Structures are given as structure tokens and as C-alpha cells.
Amino acid sequence: MEAKLSFTQDSPPISIISAAKVAGVSLSIDASLAVGSAPVLCFSSGESLRGVNPVLHYIAHAASSLSLCGRDAIEFGHVVEWLEYAPTFLSGSEFEVACSFVDGYLTSRTFLVGHGLTVADITVWSNLAGIGQRWESLKKSKKYQNLARWFNNIDSDYRETLNEVVVAYVGKRGIGKSPAPNLKEKVNVSKDPSAPEVDLPDAKFGEVCVRFAPEPSGYLHIGHAKAALLNKYFAERYQGRLIVRFDDTNPSKESNEFVENLLKDIETLGIKYDAVTYTSDYFPKLMEMAENLIKQGKAYVDDTPKEQMRSERMDGVESKCRNNTVEENLALWKEMINGSERGMQCCVRGKLDMQDPNKSLRDPVYYRCNTDPHHRIGSKYKVYPTYDFACPFVDALEGVTHALRSSEYHDRNAQYYRILQDMGMRRVEIYEFSRLNMVYTLLSKRKLLWFVQNKKVEDWTDPRFPTVQGIVRRGLKVEALIQFILQQGASKNLNLMEWDKLWTINKKIIDPVCARHTAVLKDQRVIFTLSNGPEKSFVRIFPRHKKFDGAGKKATTFTNRIWLDYADASAISKGEEVTLMDWGNAIIKEIKMESGVITELIGELHLEGSVKTTKLKVTWLPDIDELVPLSLVEFDYLISKKKLEEDENFLDNLNPCTRKETPALGDANTRNLQRGEIIQLERKGYYRCDTPFVRSSKPVVLFAIPDGRQQSSLN
């Protein structure tokens, strides 16, 4: 049914507009109501709804397949309660009170109602977004971390949908305080350093084009992920274009395997791009440009040996070839193109300024010879452009307006602009951000490749690797990675980040929904005989997660002989009453030992006992044949030093023990775990299933997931 939403220009109901966007409900907009009027939704039939909540109820019911009003009548009742509470955020005096209340409420929840997005989430999110800078400042202060986590999750999941609403109706000071920008007008650039958003210089809404340009010489790692997500952020914020370009200019290091996995990782991060291109697409034009620069006297061919050239550049000494004639240079250039013995001794250098204090301007190399076959075009070429030469050329050619580069390239910015100038091509703005560095972590692809080639890890997807596939395989949710990276923003300050912060975010995402199971260590367990236990075993059905029905059910078998972890058995005293989790209390009557080692506990059930009076609450497994063999795998950092200095060799700081496997037995339900499924083993921690059950002789492999607390060394 066609509908028109009318409201006052100074008070747009962004909760309604946002809900309609998420629900896919088409509305025409009329912002001409008199000041003070409530929003009205008018239908073509002549009927209408007045007020925010009635309209929200209509939208939620109109998109019934999305369950925006909850999954049942009880959840709908809670949704109504939240819709009535949501305006509290718009009351200046009550704003922080509301933030504090909802922050506490969200401690162990992912959504406000039930286990999925409802119109309650959209409304509260919209009201917070509508506050503008006050909420953004609070979010950055980390005062209300649960509320910020919830807000960022929705922002991440529905960014494309909600971004248009926020840009159009929310100014820096809040709803209606600044007019909606015309799509073709320049976005306001804030000079306030405390402003929540970061602006691109001279960016025009709808005209921005950015690019993410990885070299296909390895898999995407957490540092690349920051660059990729920042490009995505700016493309979406300015309603512009994002190009994924493979910088494939070094055939010795590159392969189709890397291209395919980089695209896979980009998809994993939820990045939608407008085009995929390759620098190799432009090789003919790049060669033509190099030849033109030679003819113009702006480049020359040099046969100076590599080490001597490096020394001369450091000392500001001009090459003996710098003043060769154009004819001499073109002749050597042809030798290079043919890959002749003479040509292989040469390279093409830009004729910039050998006396410049910025050494990147001291006649950089533009082209080198390489006879290795290229992964896309085979052995067609014997010469390949350097990154420094190809990047500005292709950026300008593809229409890139802003090139995002990490601040480690700062000294090369002048070179980038000078090369563009010599080429006679338009200027591309460089925007710098800080490289993401992690403690105890190597991000150099060359160094990571060493671990792969020397069999120190399985491959590029090894859980010890900082690659996207590696950390996801270890148990990191992509939402946590995105949240972590976007929290860093586009800051230019160099930071060494702790992994604990990332894993803490991850725990808050997985804990509310992951299933609970039980395991005992296979080589460190003790039998506990219950003298008054059930003579015949029986089964009860329990939820896999007591607070999340979506985790499903599990079957628990009760017997008169059960297994305890040895650590628990050794902490129990004779005569002590303990709680067997999900069963009840039991009293220890006898502790059998041989050579100081506990071999058996004997006791009796005391199910009428109070769990509040016991000191120990222990997990247990029935002594049955259906228990599942598990291999619990823990990991440690690949290097032993928090941060390696530039002059330190990583080979001198290798961690001798980075993987530890512990055999265990899991409850019978672990037989049904799927690859990639995340669970919690009660009182042991969180795990991701890497190898599911195949047969009893082969264990289910579970990778331990860090939870943000300091881990002890595996040594």
C-alpha cells in the first residue's frame, strides 16, 4: 500500500525512516508539517496513522517475515515497552540516566528483545544516532561499553541501509540541527578535533572514489583489514565508489591463489566494491608512459649495480648514466623490453632531484627486468613497473579521488605527487592513517611466508597467523574484527594494540549465543561412584544455552558412575558436600589413593541439599561408551617479544612452543558439532570446532578461543 510520511522539517522522525529502510517499506517524504506537529503516515486509501509509535507498529507488522515486532506475543509486549521508553534518550536531563540503564541491561544481551533485531533496537539506535555529537563523544569515552557494542553491531550490520538516513537527517549537533545535504553538494568538513567523524580533504558527496590495492603475494591480514574497512567506510559515507585493485607488478611473489583468497577475505569482511581491476591491465599504457618520460628527459636507463646505486642514493651522488642521451636511453630501454643480457643489467629511473633531503625523491626506480612468468599474462613481458611508478599512474587513470595510505609511506607522498606532475596527470589526494600494529605479531608478508615455507605453521590459514582466515579459524567473529578496527578509526597516531582488547569484544558477541558442553581431560580424570545413584541410566533434555533458545537442545545421561577432572577431585575433602552441575549435590564418603594419586571417589547423592551452601560446583560426565574423543588445542604467539625493533631479527625471537594439544572426552552431544561452530566447554573456556566427528578413533578437534584475559605461556 502506498504511504506518505509527513513531519516537521526541524524534527524528522528518523526512527520511522530507519525502520522503513530496514523493513523495505516504501515511503514518500513530506517535510512540510507545521512546527510542533506529530508525524503522520497517510495511505492512498485515505486512512492515516498519527504519532511515532503507531507508525512504527505498522512498519514492523508490514515486514512480518523479519519478526521486527518479536517472535511471539510476549516479545511484542517487550517491544512496546521499549518504544515507550525510547524517547527518554531525547530528554537532555535524562539522557545519561537512560544510557546507564540500557548499558546495564545489555551486559549479557545482543538485542533489546529476544535474539534478533526488532523495531525496538532500530528506534533506540535511531534516537542515539539523532543525538549527534553528544552520543558520539560518550561512545568514544567508553563509559557505556555494552551500549556502544550494541550500537556498533547494528551500525555494522545495517550500515548501508541506515547511513543514508543519518547523513540526510542528522547534523553534528543532532536531529534537524543542520539541513540535509544535497547529494551533489560538498559534505561539511569539520575542523573540530573532537568531532566523531573524520573527513576526507576536498571530498564531494557522490563523487568520491577510493581504492583498496593489495599486492597478491599473501593472504589478507589484520593490518590490511584496517585499510580495506576504512576505504569501505569512506566510500559509503560519501556515497562514492570503491575499487579493489590488485597491485600485481612483481611476478616472483604473486599467484592466483593469493588473488582468490584476497577476494574471499574481502567478502568475509562484508566489503562491497564497484569493480575489481589489476595493475597488469595497464601494462601497455605504463610502458608507453615510461618511454614518454625517457623521451622528455624525465627518466633515464641506469646500469649501476644495485648496491652501488643504493649507496649513491644515500649519499646524493648522481649516477654516471644520469646524463645519457635520449637515444642511448631508448636503446637500453629496448634491450630491457627484450630481456637481453644487456637489458637485464639495467633499470629505468626517474630524473627527479638527487640532492633532495627526502631520499625518496633521489631518482627512484620506475622499471626493472624480471623474466619470471606473470600469474595472469605469462611470459609476455620482461619488464615490470615498480609500485612507486605504477600506483600514482593507475590511481589517476581509474578516477581515484583519494588514495588512503598508511603513515609509514609519509616520506613517499612528495614522490607520489612529483611523479603525477611529471606524467602530466591530475592530482589524487593522499589521506594517511596509522598502520595497525599488534603485540607479539609479525605483519610482514615476507616474514609470514618464512613460517609457511619452513613448516612452522600449517599454511596461511593457521590459527596462529594474523591473517583474516587465521584469526577467524581460531574463533574470532568477523563482527568483532570490524568493531575493533572501526574503533581505531582513521587516526594518524601510531599504536601498538593488544590482542586482549579484540578477544574481549569477541567474547561479548559469542557468549550470549554459543552452546554449552562438558568435557573432562582424558589423562587427568577420576571416577566418582555414587552409591545411591541410578541403578539404570536415564536421559534428560537440557537447553544447550540456558538464556538462548536458538542454541538448541542437548541430551544428558545420568549414571551411578561419573567422571570428574582430576583437578576438581584433588580439591575435594572427605565428608565435603559438592554440587554436580545440572544434577544436584553429592557428599564425598571416601577418597581412594595409590602412591599419593587419587584413583576413585565414593559418595552419595544429596539432591535435597542447597547449591548455595557448597564451595565447589563441578562439571562431570557419565561413564558411558558414547563419550566423544576430543583434542583441545591451545595456541601461543609465534614470537616471544612484544615489539621487535627495526634492527632486531625475528628469527632470534621465535617462540619455541606455540601449539599444545590436550586429549579430552566430551559429552555425547559434541558428536554433532559442525566445523566452525563455537561452543563453551563449561569451566574450561570457549572453543571453535575445526575438525568435526568422523569416527571414534579420530578426535574432534577444538581450538581454544582467547577470552581477553591474559593467557599463560604454553612452555
Side-chain angles (χ1 to χ4, degrees):
M1 189 184 302
E2 291 185 16
K4 179 176 74 173
L5 178 66
S6 301
F7 52 85
T8 63
Q9 187 171 5
D10 69 333
S11 186
I14 66 167
S15 59
I16 293 176
I17 301 169
S18 298
K21 289 281 185 185
V22 172
V25 174
S26 179
L27 299 178
S28 59
I29 300 296
D30 170 26
S32 63
L33 286 187
V35 175
S37 301
V40 180
L41 187 65
C42 298
F43 300 95
S44 55
S45 64
E47 296 182 77
S48 64
L49 293 170
R50 182 178 299 275
V52 173
N53 288 0
V55 176
L56 286 171
H57 289 169
Y58 163 76
I59 291 172
H61 281 94
S64 56
S65 62
L66 299 179
S67 300
L68 291 180
C69 11
R71 294 183 303 173
D72 52 38
I74 295 176
E75 286 193 1
F76 176 67
H78 290 311
V79 168
V80 171
E81 291 175 344
W82 278 109
L83 294 185
E84 293 172 351
Y85 183 81
T88 311
F89 286 96
L90 302 176
S91 169
S93 59
E94 297 293 320
F95 174 64
E96 287 223 33
V97 175
C99 287
S100 179
F101 167 70
V102 180
D103 184 71
Y105 177 82
L106 288 168
T107 299
S108 59
R109 293 177 170 88
T110 304
F111 299 100
L112 291 175
V113 178
H115 304 293
L117 184 81
T118 65
V119 73
D121 296 290
I122 298 171
T123 303
V124 174
W125 186 94
S126 299
N127 286 358
L128 282 170
I131 295 297
Q133 189 169 329
R134 185 179 181 187
W135 162 240
E136 291 292 344
S137 298
L138 264 183
K139 192 167 58 155
K140 288 173 70 177
S141 74
K142 302 179 182 178
K143 187 174 181 180
Y144 303 114
Q145 293 190 10
N146 296 315
L147 184 59
R149 165 183 56 81
W150 166 86
F151 184 93
N152 289 336
N153 282 345
I154 293 175
D155 185 50
S156 174
D157 290 344
Y158 297 91
R159 173 161 297 180
E160 279 192 25
T161 306
L162 298 174
N163 182 61
E164 184 181 341
V165 179
V166 174
V167 169
Y169 296 104
V170 182
K172 297 280 186 184
R173 295 183 180 178
I175 295 175
K177 295 298 191 291
S178 64
N182 184 296
L183 292 186
K184 304 221 172 168
E185 289 176 359
K186 177 179 174 181
V187 173
N188 279 337
V189 178
S190 169
K191 301 300 180 186
D192 179 1
S194 65
E197 293 180 339
V198 183
D199 298 284
L200 290 175
D202 299 322
K204 293 185 178 181
F205 203 85
E207 297 181 14
V208 166
C209 179
V210 292
R211 49 67 169 164
F212 175 54
E215 180 187 6
S217 58
Y219 285 37
L220 201 74
H221 62 53
I222 191 169
H224 302 132
K226 177 177 181 178
L229 288 167
L230 283 175
N231 275 286
K232 172 181 184 282
Y233 166 78
F234 283 120
E236 290 177 349
R237 181 176 167 204
Y238 289 97
Q239 296 291 295
R241 298 178 69 244
L242 170 59
I243 296 170
V244 171
R245 181 203 309 145
F246 289 104
D247 178 43
D248 54 346
T249 58
N250 187 348
S252 302
K253 295 182 178 180
E254 299 155 1
S255 72
N256 285 321
E257 175 200 352
F258 295 138
V259 170
E260 291 164 5
N261 280 281
L262 284 165
L263 286 172
K264 177 181 177 181
D265 296 335
I266 289 167
E267 182 179 347
T268 297
L269 292 174
I271 295 172
K272 295 181 179 177
Y273 44 82
D274 294 278
V276 174
T277 64
Y278 299 81
T279 299
S280 55
D281 293 337
Y282 304 97
F283 279 176
K285 291 183 178 179
L286 281 160
M287 291 178 68
E288 183 181 343
M289 175 57 73
E291 190 163 317
N292 286 339
L293 292 177
I294 291 173
K295 290 177 179 177
Q296 294 171 38
K298 295 179 180 179
Y300 61 96
V301 178
D302 193 354
D303 63 358
T304 303
K306 192 173 182 180
E307 290 304 318
Q308 182 183 339
M309 186 186 299
R310 181 179 289 116
S311 176
E312 289 178 350
R313 288 192 72 196
M314 292 298 293
D315 297 335
V317 176
E318 291 187 0
S319 165
K320 59 179 173 51
C321 302
R322 198 172 198 268
N323 295 314
N324 285 352
T325 65
V326 169
E327 290 72 25
E328 288 173 321
N329 285 322
L330 287 175
L332 288 173
W333 170 238
K334 285 184 179 178
E335 294 288 337
M336 288 180 64
I337 291 173
N338 294 329
S340 69
E341 183 178 349
R342 179 74 178 110
M344 294 295 290
Q345 299 169 350
C346 302
C347 68
V348 177
R349 295 177 68 179
K351 190 183 285 188
L352 304 187
D353 185 353
M354 285 298 293
Q355 307 307 315
D356 199 293
N358 182 340
K359 292 182 175 63
S360 76
L361 288 168
R362 295 183 181 179
D363 292 8
V365 175
Y366 285 174
Y367 258 90
R368 289 192 177 96
C369 286
N370 191 331
T371 56
D372 289 344
H374 190 278
H375 66 96
R376 289 186 74 225
I377 49 182
S379 299
K380 181 177 180 180
Y381 297 102
K382 303 294 188 293
V383 290
Y384 290 90
T386 60
Y387 173 85
D388 290 337
F389 182 73
C391 185
F393 177 85
V394 181
D395 280 347
L397 203 63
E398 289 190 332
V400 172
T401 59
H402 296 79
L404 273 64
R405 307 214 304 188
S406 62
S407 51
E408 65 187 301
Y409 289 104
H410 178 75
D411 289 345
R412 293 190 183 185
N413 290 354
Q415 180 201 80
Y416 181 97
Y417 289 130
R418 172 63 189 275
I419 291 174
L420 276 178
Q421 181 182 327
D422 281 2
M423 290 175 172
M425 304 188 79
R426 65 174 184 82
R427 182 180 174 90
V428 177
E429 294 294 336
I430 292 175
Y431 184 86
E432 290 185 341
F433 60 90
S434 64
R435 176 186 168 120
L436 179 61
N437 295 305
M438 306 295 293
V439 296
Y440 300 105
T441 302
L442 299 170
L443 293 178
S444 160
K445 284 188 283 187
R446 176 181 62 82
K447 294 172 183 176
L448 294 176
L449 181 62
W450 181 89
F451 283 92
V452 176
Q453 292 177 334
N454 288 275
K455 310 296 183 184
K456 300 294 183 182
V457 295
E458 291 178 36
D459 53 29
W460 288 88
T461 72
D462 191 285
R464 291 162 290 188
F465 256 20
T467 55
V468 170
Q469 291 186 47
I471 53 181
V472 166
R473 189 176 169 201
R474 191 167 180 179
L476 188 79
K477 301 296 286 184
V478 173
E479 309 92 276
L481 177 61
I482 293 172
Q483 194 178 132
F484 173 75
I485 288 174
L486 293 182
Q487 280 180 4
Q488 319 309 314
S491 165
K492 299 180 184 180
N493 299 322
L494 291 174
N495 292 315
L496 185 65
M497 302 300 299
E498 297 281 349
W499 282 99
D500 291 345
K501 184 176 181 182
L502 175 57
W503 291 116
T504 297
I505 295 171
N506 193 60
K507 178 186 175 182
K508 290 178 180 177
I509 292 173
I510 64 176
D511 182 74
V513 296
C514 71
R516 271 54 173 171
H517 288 274
T518 305
V520 296
L521 302 184
K522 186 176 181 180
D523 301 329
Q524 300 174 52
R525 56 188 168 131
V526 176
I527 200 73
F528 184 10
T529 301
L530 298 165
S531 58
N532 63 340
E535 292 183 10
K536 186 176 181 181
S537 63
F538 64 92
V539 175
R540 286 180 184 162
I541 304 299
F542 289 96
R544 293 174 78 204
H545 189 307
K546 290 183 173 66
K547 296 181 179 179
F548 178 48
D549 293 340
K553 305 290 185 183
K554 63 182 178 182
T556 300
T557 303
F558 294 80
T559 61
N560 58 14
R561 283 168 55 86
I562 61 176
W563 290 109
L564 303 183
D565 271 317
Y566 189 90
D568 287 335
S570 62
I572 296 172
S573 304
K574 183 178 179 180
E576 184 177 359
E577 186 167 354
V578 299
T579 297
L580 304 174
M581 292 174 63
D582 287 335
W583 195 348
N585 288 2
I587 299 171
I588 312 304
K589 296 297 186 180
E590 184 181 351
I591 300 176
K592 292 186 176 183
M593 303 184 74
E594 289 182 10
S595 303
V597 176
I598 301 172
T599 56
E600 184 181 4
L601 299 180
I602 297 176
E604 60 184 33
L605 290 170
H606 184 228
L607 299 182
E608 61 271 25
S610 172
V611 298
K612 295 180 181 179
T613 62
T614 57
K615 183 176 71 173
L616 285 176
K617 277 77 175 172
V618 299
T619 46
W620 57 275
L621 285 178
D623 181 18
I624 57 176
D625 294 335
E626 288 77 17
L627 298 184
V628 178
L630 308 177
S631 179
L632 308 183
V633 186
E634 300 172 81
F635 299 101
D636 204 350
Y637 300 115
L638 290 171
I639 58 173
S640 56
K641 193 169 183 182
K642 203 167 191 178
K643 180 186 178 184
L644 292 181
E645 301 303 328
E646 286 188 14
D647 59 346
E648 288 186 288
N649 189 337
F650 76 96
L651 295 175
D652 297 330
N653 293 275
L654 297 181
N655 195 340
C657 180
T658 61
R659 179 184 175 115
K660 178 183 176 183
E661 296 188 39
T662 304
L665 293 173
D667 64 63
N669 305 277
T670 57
R671 182 184 303 263
N672 301 318
L673 293 178
Q674 302 297 308
R675 177 177 169 83
E677 186 173 354
I678 290 176
I679 64 169
Q680 183 185 47
L681 292 180
E682 301 269 20
R683 300 175 61 234
K684 282 183 169 57
Y686 302 95
Y687 291 83
R688 176 191 172 277
C689 178
D690 191 66
T691 306
F693 182 84
V694 178
R695 55 184 178 274
S696 298
S697 60
K698 187 176 181 181
V700 171
V701 179
L702 300 179
F703 288 168
I705 304 172
D707 60 6
R709 293 179 293 185
Q710 288 289 333
Q711 67 178 44
S712 56
S713 172
L714 299 183
N715 295 330

